[in-house]
Amino acid sequence: MPLSLTEIMQNTKINNTDINSDQTKTQFDEMYGTTDSNRLPYDGYNEWFKQQDPKSLKKKSNEAETIFRRSGITFSVHGKNEPTERLIPFDIVPRIISSKEWVALSRGLEQRVTAINSFIHDIYHGQEIIRAGVIPEELIIKNQAYLSKMIGVNPPGDVYTHIAGIDIIRTSENEFFVLEDNVRTPSGVSYMLENRETMMQMFPELFASVRVRSVSDYPKNLCRSLNAVAPPGCQGAPTIAVLTPGIYNSAYFEHAFLADHMGVELVEGSDLRVVNGKIAMRTILGFQTIDILYRRLDDDYLDPLNFNPDSMLGVPGLMDVYKAGNITIANAPGTGIADDKAIYSYMPEIVEFYTGTRPLLNNVPTYRCSETDTLAFVLDNLSDLVVKEVHGSGGYGMLVGPAASKRELSEFSKKLVNKPENYIAQPTLALSTVPILVKSGLAPRHVDLRPFVLMSDKIEITPGGLTRVALKENSLVVNSSQGGGTKDTWVLNE
Amino acid sequence: MLAKTANGLYWMSRYIERSENTARLLETGLRMALTRIEPSHDEWKSVVETAGVESAYIQMHEEYSAQNVIDFLLRDKSNPSSVMSAIDSARMNARLVRTAITRDVWESINESWLKLKDVLKRPVSDSQLPTILGIIRQQSALIRGSLHGTMLRNETYSFSRLGTFIERADNTARIIDVKYYVLLPSDSYIGSSLDNVQWESILRSVSAHRSYRWFYKADYIPTNIAEFLILNKSMPRSLAFCYDKLNENLNVIGRLHNDQNICQEHSCRILKMLDSHDATSIFTTGLHEFLTNFIDENINLGTKISEQYRFYQ
């Protein structure tokens, strides 16, 4: 599925205090807080909600599903049989963020993404952060996501992370944590846009009474942002194209959606080749130069001559054109190093190192098992922790301590002792909840948030993002591949 | 426009046209089977032949029973011309060119696909067949309506039109060709009532039995029927009509470039050839020879389009 996030499989039960001494013990609901009266941001919505007939809301909810199915907003699931297409369930109760909360969040996001971009530049150039002893050298050099072919390469405008999706969780009124930095090819933005479209289509009167900041400029902003970092070799108005692995990719809908909304071509590797030192696409009238490639393809597949030689999805010679300054690739190759989980644990230090200020957004406390003392601590507290593989994603190879059997715990201990550098551990956090519509009315469910950050000559953050919600009671798994759904995310106007 | 997009639009339309044509063939087959005095599988056999899928059919089935043919032409995934395969391919191509078609067009194709997937989930009995064929016809009308009503008239639309008319010309030519020698084995049949039913079935399979009457105000006469389906430019499924449209759309695309327009030259030649004939001269040449030649030339045009506009390389 497109939202390839790591699972948030922490258990709801709050565990040992020595691990999470400063953690809120009670469940924080974003509509009701910890009390029965609703929180301020939800006033307008609740006013409207009280006047609604539950039956008609249920009907609207089914209507939403029809809208999504008809427009083909699906993701592909590849099983043993032929690929099938599934809908991501959509809940009609919005997740609402006050303008004050948003200002604080966006400051933190801006700071974090700026630091990440500087970090990536640094590790492919002077490596000051290693020399300053903030990050161990082998963590970078030996990292699979570190592309030696990017050393000394200067991307146009020095921008690496043109599009970032930063996953945020909330645990109380004032506590937000970054769970993951997605700076390779973050997905989900089409759901952010379509969710809003659907809500406006179904509840126009609601948007007349509650003032919600618009998200619809995202494609336009993305276009502008990419145009601002055209390569030095570009003459005239730059041509943008979106590179997709093809119609069988799980996120193909989103790739087509973005190309469509930006008014640019959606290309596959087979449409592209190097012509006179530039990347060109095969049109009905011959080859036409592309200046900016928004790729939704992993580094490894980009260029069979420079990376994985078996890739049929990329363009032979793309990296050479890139190095010659004749194309912008967004995001730049090699950014994956910054969403590595071992690097994540250093993110507070990285932010401070490059911005000279304290991080505005917290990391989830992360224990690096590569450090001997920490390993001992993790082994002692294994049943309370979530342990993740450093390079893993999609929830593979991870252990959820509170949910694991004794046997699973002891087997995982062995793995940890054998290869400690392969793992990190985190406490289980109580994610905030937002109500969803169920048969009996409203019921709280856990959520996370992925805001989308655009970076070029300036940083732009679309107010809102993608809210993913665990549809099962008490579940902390928001992944759509495991029954999670989405909500429209509202940021209120002042 | 990306060559891949042109290719996708072309095939999207070919498959939409094909699903409708296959459904219409089945409708004819059903009608023939119902109006027969003696039970016979000949009609179902000719339906399979007309669809041009005889060899694939023989591999799957031993006899031409109604049930087998209906299933093969409606649902069989191994048959690329079955309604389900065609709508599957049409949707896959529409997905490929999602950025070139309007939301209305995409949604109408997607909805048709969802609808047909649902009604063709299980084998269709003879008694359900009319209802299901009705649904198929309705769905293709919806798709055609959204294409017609929402697409900008530029090269995008023209590539999709090329697909429609290449497919349709091929289909009409095959229908006449198959019926010609299957249905007229000897002179003794001519003028008989059986013969009338046969000729009417040809007109029905291109939805032209009513318009024939409007135009000729007379009984079915083989030369009239041939003239109507081959040369009449006001009859939307005739070969001449298809080539008029192909010409028109190749013109639109040709305006984009200064290169020699190989495709247009080719389609002009075919149109001139059609214009130079009347029914009598076609029968003198030999209808079968005439049609075989036309089918080949039509395939050639398809190849030339894919080459000139770099569909594959």
Side-chain angles (χ1 to χ4, degrees):
Chain A
M1 83 125 291
L3 318 173
S4 58
L5 268 195
T6 321
E7 260 72 337
I8 311 164
M9 293 183 70
Q10 290 95 331
N11 198 285
T12 28
K13 285 179 216 148
I14 303 303
N15 46 64
N16 286 346
T17 46
D18 56 342
I19 293 172
N20 307 294
S21 48
D22 56 356
Q23 196 180 300
T24 321
K25 299 299 179 295
T26 38
Q27 191 57 60
F28 178 73
D29 187 84
E30 297 191 15
M31 188 182 275
Y32 299 110
T34 48
T35 64
D36 280 340
S37 59
N38 65 269
R39 290 176 62 249
L40 206 56
Y42 283 82
D43 272 356
Y45 181 77
N46 281 354
E47 199 59 41
W48 172 87
F49 187 81
K50 270 184 234 150
Q51 293 158 21
Q52 303 305 308
D53 166 29
K55 265 190 199 151
S56 86
L57 280 179
K58 197 69 216 164
K59 225 171 106 190
K60 290 275 185 187
S61 187
N62 294 334
E63 203 180 300
E65 193 182 313
T66 313
I67 294 175
F68 282 110
R69 195 171 289 282
R70 193 174 54 210
S71 49
I73 309 177
T74 54
F75 65 99
S76 318
V77 183
H78 301 272
K80 278 179 192 157
N81 304 318
E82 48 185 315
T84 53
E85 289 170 28
R86 271 196 225 155
L87 281 184
I88 298 182
F90 173 69
D91 175 70
I92 63 168
V93 182
R95 194 256 189 99
I96 307 176
I97 298 167
S98 75
S99 108
K100 203 174 132 227
E101 287 168 342
W102 182 251
V103 168
L105 259 180
S106 27
R107 276 198 201 119
L109 290 168
E110 189 165 341
Q111 179 198 45
R112 188 152 178 128
V113 174
T114 307
I116 290 173
N117 198 70
S118 306
F119 165 70
I120 300 169
H121 177 89
D122 183 29
I123 58 164
Y124 290 118
H125 292 83
Q127 304 192 329
E128 302 292 340
I129 197 162
I130 297 173
R131 285 196 259 162
V134 177
I135 291 187
E137 187 175 13
E138 79 270 8
L139 199 59
I140 304 285
I141 306 303
K142 289 184 183 164
N143 201 305
Q144 292 164 0
Y146 185 71
L147 292 187
S148 56
K149 289 227 156 71
M150 281 298 288
I151 295 172
V153 176
N154 292 311
D158 267 342
V159 178
Y160 289 83
T161 55
H162 306 81
I163 302 113
I166 309 294
D167 290 344
I168 306 277
I169 55 172
R170 184 176 196 174
T171 54
S172 72
E173 186 68 54
N174 296 311
E175 278 181 304
F176 294 88
F177 294 91
V178 173
L179 188 69
E180 209 167 279
D181 304 287
N182 298 282
V183 291
R184 296 170 202 237
T185 54
S187 61
V189 80
S190 59
Y191 295 93
M192 169 183 89
L193 296 166
E194 282 294 311
N195 287 355
R196 177 63 56 81
E197 280 300 312
T198 306
M199 285 293 277
M200 296 204 333
Q201 201 175 326
M202 290 195 301
F203 309 112
E205 77 286 0
L206 183 52
F207 287 87
S209 63
V210 183
R211 295 183 61 209
V212 182
R213 291 185 62 187
S214 166
V215 293
S216 61
D217 279 347
Y218 179 84
K220 203 183 79 198
N221 293 341
L222 175 57
C223 222
R224 195 210 64 80
S225 186
L226 291 173
N227 274 323
V229 285
C234 170
Q235 288 142 0
T239 302
I240 302 176
V242 177
L243 176 63
T244 173
I247 60 167
Y248 296 109
N249 184 269
S250 61
Y252 178 78
F253 163 75
E254 175 156 307
H255 307 159
F257 179 97
L258 287 171
D260 195 20
H261 283 72
M262 287 198 285
V264 303
E265 294 290 2
L266 177 66
V267 298
E268 293 175 35
S270 59
D271 297 316
L272 305 179
R273 74 161 68 141
V274 178
V275 178
N276 299 328
K278 299 198 174 188
I279 297 296
M281 57 184 170
R282 197 178 76 246
T283 75
I284 54 170
L285 306 177
F287 281 88
Q288 187 197 331
T289 304
I290 293 174
D291 305 296
I292 299 160
L293 198 58
Y294 174 21
R295 50 92 174 218
R296 296 292 296 256
L297 190 62
D298 288 343
D299 286 350
D300 212 20
Y301 297 102
L302 275 180
D303 177 355
L305 291 182
N306 283 286
F307 304 119
N308 180 354
D310 299 329
S311 171
M312 305 288 286
L313 302 172
V315 191
L318 175 60
M319 268 311 275
D320 306 309
V321 176
Y322 185 61
K323 285 186 189 171
N326 283 329
I327 193 152
T328 298
I329 302 177
N331 290 352
T335 53
I337 184 93
D339 62 29
D340 181 88
K341 288 186 192 68
I343 300 292
Y344 167 88
S345 68
Y346 287 94
M347 214 42 92
E349 290 90 333
I350 289 172
V351 170
E352 205 159 344
F353 186 81
Y354 295 104
T355 67
T357 47
R358 298 283 303 155
L360 300 171
L361 282 171
N362 290 319
N363 251 20
V364 174
T366 302
Y367 307 104
R368 295 187 278 266
C369 302
S370 53
E371 293 162 10
T372 321
D373 295 349
T374 315
L375 177 63
F377 169 83
V378 169
L379 287 170
D380 283 348
N381 293 280
L382 205 54
S383 61
D384 295 323
L385 295 168
V386 175
V387 188
K388 298 172 180 175
E389 267 184 18
V390 170
H391 306 298
S393 70
Y396 296 104
M398 71 187 275
L399 173 91
V400 183
S405 68
K406 272 194 177 154
R407 202 172 132 219
E408 283 168 326
L409 287 173
S410 85
E411 275 173 13
F412 213 91
S413 297
K414 279 182 213 149
K415 284 195 202 172
L416 270 172
V417 174
N418 275 343
K419 228 181 167 189
E421 71 283 2
N422 207 25
Y423 297 93
I424 54 134
Q426 291 171 337
T428 56
L429 291 184
L431 271 62
S432 60
T433 56
V434 175
I436 64 166
L437 190 71
V438 295
K439 267 187 193 148
S440 54
L442 294 180
R445 294 291 185 271
H446 294 287
V447 293
D448 79 348
L449 174 68
R450 176 180 291 182
F452 293 93
V453 185
L454 296 177
M455 179 184 229
S456 60
D457 52 343
K458 60 176 179 183
I459 288 180
E460 278 174 292
I461 308 174
T462 306
L466 179 68
T467 290
R468 300 187 308 164
V469 54
L471 296 176
K472 277 184 232 137
E473 198 174 355
N474 292 328
S475 168
L476 285 148
V477 186
V478 298
N479 276 58
S480 39
S481 55
Q482 310 202 24
T486 67
K487 279 172 168 293
D488 189 15
T489 311
W490 292 6
V491 171
L492 298 181
N493 230 324
E494 243 354 306
Chain B
M1 186 198 299
L2 282 181
K4 177 189 70 187
T5 306
N7 187 15
L9 287 160
Y10 174 85
W11 282 102
M12 175 187 85
S13 289
R14 277 199 78 155
Y15 282 117
I16 292 164
E17 182 70 21
R18 189 173 296 179
S19 73
E20 193 188 340
N21 291 340
T22 303
R24 205 182 272 110
L25 273 178
L26 274 170
E27 204 159 350
T28 315
L30 180 67
R31 199 175 166 86
M32 294 291 286
L34 293 177
T35 48
R36 269 219 170 266
I37 303 149
E38 293 165 45
S40 161
H41 289 156
D42 283 0
E43 281 319 317
W44 292 114
K45 181 165 188 277
S46 88
V47 164
V48 171
E49 281 171 5
T50 313
V53 289
E54 209 183 349
S55 57
Y57 183 88
I58 295 167
Q59 286 178 11
M60 305 276 301
H61 304 285
E62 285 180 355
E63 49 165 11
Y64 289 95
S65 69
Q67 199 49 57
N68 284 349
V69 173
I70 291 171
D71 204 68
F72 188 71
L73 289 183
L74 275 186
R75 307 173 61 243
D76 200 318
K77 291 226 166 111
S78 69
N79 169 15
S81 295
S82 77
V83 172
M84 202 56 234
S85 300
I87 194 77
D88 248 352
S89 306
R91 179 179 182 265
M92 203 163 77
N93 278 289
R95 220 164 120 78
L96 192 72
V97 300
R98 179 63 191 83
T99 55
I101 53 180
T102 60
R103 188 168 185 146
D104 292 60
V105 171
W106 161 248
E107 289 190 0
S108 66
I109 293 175
N110 192 42
E111 269 194 272
S112 294
W113 176 77
L114 289 166
K115 178 94 194 164
L116 295 182
K117 211 165 67 145
D118 184 50
V119 298
L120 298 177
K121 234 176 359 211
R122 279 178 287 276
V124 174
S125 69
D126 312 23
S127 64
Q128 297 167 306
L129 189 59
T131 317
I132 300 232
L133 292 175
I135 294 172
I136 297 168
R137 213 171 32 213
Q138 200 178 28
Q139 293 302 324
S140 59
L142 282 175
I143 297 174
R144 192 174 315 115
S146 63
L147 269 162
H148 190 80
T150 66
M151 291 288 290
L152 194 64
R153 296 303 195 266
N154 60 5
E155 65 277 12
T156 306
Y157 185 70
S158 287
F159 273 110
S160 109
R161 297 292 274 174
L162 293 182
T164 303
F165 291 110
I166 292 272
E167 180 73 22
R168 187 179 295 177
D170 181 76
N171 181 64
T172 301
R174 276 179 207 282
I175 285 175
I176 315 170
D177 194 26
V178 167
K179 294 291 177 180
Y180 177 71
Y181 61 84
V182 170
L183 301 185
L184 293 178
S186 78
D187 291 347
S188 63
Y189 279 114
I190 295 179
S192 70
S193 69
L194 174 66
D195 200 46
N196 257 336
V197 173
Q198 308 282 27
W199 280 118
E200 188 186 321
S201 84
I202 295 187
L203 289 167
R204 268 187 190 278
S205 49
V206 291
S207 291
H209 50 294
R210 290 297 299 156
S211 46
Y212 177 90
R213 298 242 174 225
W214 289 327
F215 197 85
Y216 291 101
K217 299 181 176 58
D219 276 344
Y220 300 126
I221 300 167
T223 45
N224 281 355
I225 292 174
E227 182 188 73
F228 196 50
L229 297 187
I230 296 173
L231 303 173
N232 191 316
K233 283 191 183 163
S234 59
M235 156 55 192
R237 311 198 81 84
S238 77
L239 306 187
F241 183 94
C242 290
Y243 266 80
D244 235 12
K245 291 290 170 192
L246 285 168
N247 241 350
E248 187 185 309
N249 286 289
L250 284 168
N251 257 331
V252 172
I253 300 165
R255 270 183 229 132
L256 299 174
H257 58 82
N258 301 319
D259 298 358
Q260 191 197 9
N261 199 331
I262 302 155
C263 303
Q264 211 189 342
E265 282 164 17
H266 190 80
S267 81
C268 265
R269 214 178 59 231
I270 297 176
L271 191 60
K272 267 195 199 127
M273 182 275 289
L274 291 169
D275 284 343
S276 72
H277 275 290
D278 59 20
T280 324
S281 69
I282 290 174
F283 276 92
T284 317
T285 320
L287 182 54
H288 176 60
E289 286 71 23
F290 177 88
L291 292 167
T292 315
N293 175 51
F294 176 86
I295 291 170
D296 288 346
E297 289 294 335
N298 189 51
I299 291 171
N300 272 341
L301 179 60
T303 312
K304 286 196 158 75
I305 292 170
S306 72
E307 284 168 3
Q308 173 149 27
Y309 297 109
R310 302 173 167 82
F311 281 7
Y312 304 105
Q313 54 181 336

